[in-house]
Amino acid sequence: MDYRERLIVKPGSHVKLADIDPGFHGVHESHEKALPELDATLAEITSLQELLYAEKKHALLIVLQGIDAAGKDGVCWHVIRAMNPQGTSVTGFKQPTAQERAHDFLWRVHKHVPGLGQVGIFNRSHYEDVLVVRVHDLAPRHVWEKRYETINDFEKQLTESGVTILKFFLYISKEEQLKRFKRRLDDPARHWKISESDYSERELWNDYTKAYEAMLERCSTKHAPWYVLPSNHKWFRNLAASHIILETLKKMNLKAPPPTVNIDEIREKYHKAASEKGA
Ligand code: AMP
Ligand code: MG
């Protein structure tokens, strides 16, 4: 199945999350059944990321958004597992510090954008400035309203300098979120993950839904599309994310750079003599 085609938010289209099934799981019935495909996809990603790292002509930025417990951390784990750590970075965006608040909202973001040869993952992102900020009135409407356009311009500029942008919205149902919170409660090893705000934010589910829909509608562009990943099934979420990443890497037509030395000369100079000496 072409997950890109199926899950992309077509630029300019109207988005109603209620029409999307967060429990969608494609052709496989279970994690076990999907495993061979998952492993094969990750293996291909590994080879292509190595080329991206070597070639240094492209960068890949993966933006993750989603409500608490949607699986942003899980996707980071999953994707990074396939990659050479030297070529990757993960940046989590929390409440802005006083210094960050004293700058424009993109200031803290721009410096974490991956450079050529690198893959960067944003666990939350500049989109918080049209999500939590909008839902909690942390800035007046006329301020956050302008940000959709500012974000589109910013992302366009990044793509023009070699950064390919993939944006994944991890979509779970309200019931699934509660189940996940409950599992955290039942597992002492994960108690540290629980915060009061998880529950208070949950009360604002409908406001968040509206803010997500606006983000998806207004900021899914040709140069930086949004994908809605049905995420009730963690394995499907991971499979869909890796498929889209793999297809995107394939489209870059990555090639190992040519050697910087004369290979024959090197072989002649250092290996021939050595092999004659029996080394
Ligand atoms: P977590 O990702 O669970 O560690 O939580 C990070 C928290 O920081 C979330 O509640 C976000 O909504 C919040 N956050 C991230 N970016 C911003 C922002 N620009 N303004 C206000 N809150 C933010
Ligand atoms: Mg949290």
Side-chain angles (χ1 to χ4, degrees):
M1 179 181 288
D2 185 348
Y3 293 110
R4 270 188 317 158
E5 187 58 31
R6 162 95 204 209
L7 305 174
I8 196 167
V9 176
K10 296 219 166 61
S13 66
H14 181 64
V15 179
K16 200 159 185 324
L17 286 173
D19 293 342
I20 299 174
D21 175 12
F24 177 77
H25 56 72
V27 294
H28 299 293
E29 282 308 311
S30 64
H31 185 195
E32 287 65 37
K33 295 255 165 66
L35 258 180
E37 198 181 335
L38 258 171
D39 287 344
T41 311
L42 287 182
E44 276 193 85
I45 290 179
T46 302
S47 317
L48 290 181
Q49 188 237 346
E50 189 64 20
L51 291 181
L52 180 126
Y53 179 69
E55 195 182 38
K56 296 197 172 26
K57 279 193 182 163
H58 298 265
L60 177 64
L61 171 62
I62 301 167
V63 172
L64 302 176
Q65 288 290 163
I67 205 100
D68 294 302
K72 299 182 291 298
D73 294 358
V75 173
C76 289
W77 269 96
H78 175 77
V79 169
I80 285 290
R81 188 155 79 88
M83 298 192 181
N84 169 0
Q86 289 207 97
T88 59
S89 62
V90 178
T91 313
F93 291 93
K94 311 283 182 192
Q95 285 188 17
T97 61
Q99 193 196 24
E100 287 168 349
R101 265 199 305 274
H103 290 81
D104 72 278
F105 77 103
L106 293 174
W107 180 77
R108 67 172 182 162
V109 175
H110 206 153
K111 57 186 171 195
H112 293 290
V113 171
L116 300 179
Q118 297 281 317
V119 177
I121 303 184
F122 283 179
N123 187 340
R124 301 186 190 269
S125 66
H126 42 298
Y127 283 97
E128 289 294 321
D129 291 280
V130 290
L131 292 168
V132 64
V133 168
R134 170 176 166 150
V135 169
H136 285 279
D137 287 322
L138 300 179
R141 174 178 267 266
H142 73 270
V143 170
W144 57 252
E145 269 288 348
K146 287 200 199 92
R147 289 182 176 163
Y148 297 97
E149 202 58 39
T150 308
I151 288 174
N152 289 342
D153 290 345
F154 169 62
E155 292 179 352
K156 181 122 204 296
Q157 183 215 321
L158 296 182
T159 57
E160 282 163 1
S161 50
V163 186
T164 298
I165 305 174
L166 284 177
K167 301 182 296 197
F168 294 144
F169 171 61
L170 312 185
Y171 180 43
I172 56 169
S173 64
K174 204 172 173 190
E175 298 70 43
E176 178 63 22
Q177 188 196 40
L178 195 61
K179 265 197 238 163
R180 292 184 184 187
F181 284 174
K182 175 77 176 36
R183 262 183 252 138
R184 285 180 185 177
L185 278 180
D186 295 341
D187 177 2
R190 289 197 293 164
H191 281 176
W192 66 274
K193 279 198 157 196
I194 302 168
S195 70
E196 188 85 33
S197 80
D198 290 342
Y199 291 89
S200 53
E201 292 302 278
R202 184 176 158 75
E203 306 273 303
L204 300 167
W205 190 274
N206 293 344
D207 295 334
Y208 270 106
T209 299
K210 277 195 207 117
Y212 287 130
E213 286 172 344
M215 163 191 94
L216 296 167
E217 263 179 36
R218 297 172 71 170
C219 296
S220 192
T221 54
K222 195 159 173 288
H223 53 273
W226 270 108
Y227 295 85
V228 177
L229 306 190
S231 296
N232 277 6
H233 297 284
K234 294 177 180 174
W235 61 265
F236 178 74
R237 171 202 77 200
N238 289 346
L239 183 67
S242 17
H243 259 273
I244 296 167
I245 292 168
L246 176 59
E247 289 309 311
T248 304
L249 289 170
K250 279 185 184 164
K251 272 199 356 203
M252 289 179 186
N253 200 15
L254 301 160
K255 298 217 172 22
T260 54
V261 293
N262 183 322
I263 297 292
D264 290 336
E265 252 176 40
I266 293 277
R267 190 176 282 122
E268 182 75 18
K269 195 164 158 196
Y270 297 107
H271 292 267
K272 202 158 167 228
S275 67
E276 277 163 8
K277 279 193 210 133

